[in-house]
């Protein structure tokens, strides 16, 4: 809602610049931006042609050569959960941060106050009934497949999040009734498990997240399993929490 | 220089990236800006995909692919956060754009 002060400011601005001047400056700005973006595209294209033609160096060879020791057969999973597992741990932390920020902005700790949305049409309802079980099954398959072929926790988690979004669109999202602690626990689960496992290895005189040799595959599977659950829960919570109507401010009116 | 599919993907990624950059600067509406950033991000993912396949006989380079996989999920989460932030700005100021950009669509 525009306040009185905003309206006064808008009126002041309308006086300061005629519509013609506003439109002209907007057009000049767009032309300038367009030319700049075009020039940038040419420079980047020259760089890309050079870069794509070049022999791959860096980490590629190293990543493929130590695949036998990594505990998995899929090099992408090996990079994600073995060589660069600290990065993956921090990326799960980014997901936790996004959910925390969403709750902070909505001034809530759970999603029980988010209003129901109108039930979808017949096609959407039927489609959800067919697709959601298949998606849950598909998530499990992708998780298992990730050890030896393209797939893994991130893909599986995204699929679970999408299943949650479909349930939300047909207002059958019973998970919304989870209390704040359970929901936040689920979102934080993989970040915490990753850290505890990593610190546990440190107690065994290894480095942070340095898997014991020969056991890497079991640890990777455990981490992937909890990562899938957390990613699915985080994506679903963000989808529900970004609901387009006010849902928390009536409960806790703000004074600032 | 033969026109390999990697070159086509990389050049397409650059075109998409610059379109997104133009959208980010030229439009003031916050939802347009969020969409523009997402378009730019998709272009970066496509570029990484192209780079991963270059001149490589034994499949693809796993390092850029791993970055894309985590990047997609993080981008979705960041977008949801950005949309929540945009709604908060709308709820407080009644505007769908930042206060510095009063005069643009």
């Amino acid at each position: 809602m525009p306040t009185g002060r905003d309206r006064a400011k808008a009126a002041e601005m309308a006086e300061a610049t005629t519509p013609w001047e506003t439109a002209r400056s907007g057009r000049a700005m767009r032309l300038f931006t367009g030319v700049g973006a075009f020039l940038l595209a040419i420079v980047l294209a020259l760089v890309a042609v050079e870069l794509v033609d070049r022999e791959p160096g860096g980490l590629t060879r190293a990543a493929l050569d130590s695949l036998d020791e990594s505990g998995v057969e899929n090099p992408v999973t090996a990079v994600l959960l073995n060589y660069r597992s600290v990065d993956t741990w921090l990326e799960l932390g980014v997901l936790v941060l996004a959910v925390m920020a969403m709750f902070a902005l909505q001034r809530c700790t759970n999603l029980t106050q988010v209003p129901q949305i109108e039930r979808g049409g017949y096609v959407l309802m039927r489609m959800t009934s067919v697709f959601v079980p298949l998606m849950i099954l598909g998530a499990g398959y992708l998780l298992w497949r990730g050890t030896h072929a393209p797939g893994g926790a991130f893909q599986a988690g995204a699929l679970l999040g999408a299943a949650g979004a479909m349930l939300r669109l047909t207002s059958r999202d019973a998970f919304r009734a989870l209390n704040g602690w359970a929901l936040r626990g689920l979102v934080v689960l993989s970040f915490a498990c990753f850290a505890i496992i990593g610190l546990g290895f440190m107690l065994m005189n290894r480095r942070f997240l340095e898997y014991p040799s020969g056991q890497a595959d079991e640890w990777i599977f455990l981490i992937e399993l909890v990562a899938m659950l957390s990613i699915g829960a985080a994506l679903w919570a963000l989808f529900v929490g970004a609901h387009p109507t006010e849902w928390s401010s009536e409960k806790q009116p703000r004074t600032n | 220089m033969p026109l390999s599919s990697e070159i086509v993907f990389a050049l397409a990624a650059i075109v998409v990236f610059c379109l997104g950059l133009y959208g980010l600067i030229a439009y003031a509406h916050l939802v347009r800006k969020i969409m523009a950033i997402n378009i730019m991000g998709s272009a970066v993912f496509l570029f990484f995909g192209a780079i991963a396949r270059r001149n490589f006989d034994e499949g693809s380079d796993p390092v850029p692919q791993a970055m894309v996989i985590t990047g997609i999920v993080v981008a979705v989460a960041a977008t949801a956060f950005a949309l929540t932030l945009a709604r908060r700005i709308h709820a407080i100021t009644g505007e769908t754009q930042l206060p510095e950009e009063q005069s643009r669509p």
Side-chain angles (χ1 to χ4, degrees):
Chain A
M1 292 345 104
T3 61
R5 203 164 123 235
D6 286 332
R7 248 180 252 124
K9 212 161 79 185
E12 201 178 286
M13 287 211 43
E15 264 174 51
T17 53
T18 64
W20 162 243
E21 276 173 333
T22 305
R24 200 182 48 177
S25 73
R27 218 174 291 149
M29 205 271 316
R30 278 191 194 181
L31 187 69
F32 184 72
T33 311
V35 171
F38 184 70
L39 292 178
L40 181 68
I42 291 174
V43 174
L44 286 179
L46 293 174
V47 175
V49 168
E50 170 68 26
L51 202 62
V52 171
D53 239 14
R54 195 176 286 183
E55 282 296 311
L59 299 166
T60 313
R61 183 54 55 198
L64 292 176
D65 281 350
S66 24
L67 197 57
D68 289 340
E69 302 166 43
S70 71
V72 289
E73 290 160 47
N74 178 19
V76 178
T77 306
V79 171
L80 275 177
L81 286 144
N82 201 328
Y83 314 142
R84 289 162 47 91
S85 48
V86 177
D87 283 15
T88 307
W89 176 55
L90 292 176
E91 267 148 356
L92 293 170
V94 172
L95 278 186
V96 174
L97 276 181
V99 175
M100 274 168 60
M102 185 272 292
F103 277 132
L105 282 171
Q106 303 281 26
R107 275 153 238 290
C108 251
T109 56
N110 59 53
L111 298 168
T112 50
Q113 287 156 27
V114 186
Q116 284 280 5
I117 56 177
E118 221 173 290
R119 291 175 84 85
Y122 179 75
V123 176
L124 181 63
M125 299 299 281
R126 292 296 301 171
M127 213 175 83
T128 310
S129 319
V130 175
F131 271 88
V132 168
L134 283 178
M135 283 162 102
I136 294 169
L137 201 62
Y141 171 67
L142 275 176
L143 184 73
W144 165 77
R145 193 183 139 90
T147 54
H148 55 87
F154 280 84
Q155 290 92 327
L159 207 53
L160 282 187
M166 278 188 100
L167 288 177
R168 167 75 184 147
L169 290 176
T170 49
S171 59
R172 284 187 276 196
D173 46 343
F175 297 118
R176 225 153 42 92
L178 279 181
N179 73 25
W181 287 108
L183 182 61
R184 280 173 289 172
L186 204 55
V187 171
V188 140
L189 181 69
S190 68
F191 187 67
C193 276
F194 225 133
I196 290 168
I197 290 172
L199 291 173
F201 291 154
M202 284 176 90
L203 287 181
M204 290 154 56
N205 285 328
R206 295 170 170 278
R207 271 168 292 171
F208 184 66
L209 283 173
E210 183 192 351
Y211 304 112
S213 56
Q215 293 176 20
D217 48 347
E218 285 98 349
W219 288 111
I220 286 177
F221 189 77
L222 177 67
I223 290 175
E224 282 212 291
L225 183 67
V226 290
M228 173 186 78
L229 293 175
S230 280
I231 292 166
L235 293 179
W236 166 79
L238 285 164
F239 185 81
V240 176
H243 187 266
T245 56
E246 288 294 311
W247 48 273
S248 52
S249 46
E250 311 110 325
K251 275 273 179 197
Q252 299 151 293
R254 266 193 87 204
T255 47
N256 61 351
Chain B
M1 182 196 72
L3 191 67
S4 60
S5 60
E6 290 86 61
I7 291 275
V8 176
F9 285 140
L11 293 181
I14 286 166
V15 171
V16 174
F17 181 86
C18 290
L19 279 175
L21 185 68
Y22 172 78
L24 177 67
I25 300 173
Y27 296 103
H29 197 291
L30 285 170
V31 175
R32 283 184 183 232
K33 281 191 189 290
I34 293 167
M35 282 168 69
I37 291 175
N38 267 287
I39 290 169
M40 289 167 77
S42 305
V44 172
F45 298 147
L46 179 59
F47 190 79
F48 272 36
I51 285 293
R53 288 189 37 167
R54 60 182 176 177
N55 291 340
F56 215 62
D57 309 325
E58 315 156 45
S60 325
D61 183 352
V63 180
Q65 291 188 337
M67 287 168 134
V68 170
I69 287 169
T70 50
I72 289 171
V73 170
V74 169
V76 170
T79 303
F81 168 55
L83 286 171
T84 320
L85 207 55
R87 287 213 57 80
R88 195 77 211 161
I89 289 171
H90 180 253
I92 291 173
T93 66
E95 300 278 339
T96 53
Q97 53 195 31
L98 296 174
E100 292 83 8
E101 305 193 80
Q102 289 291 344
S103 57
R104 293 198 282 136

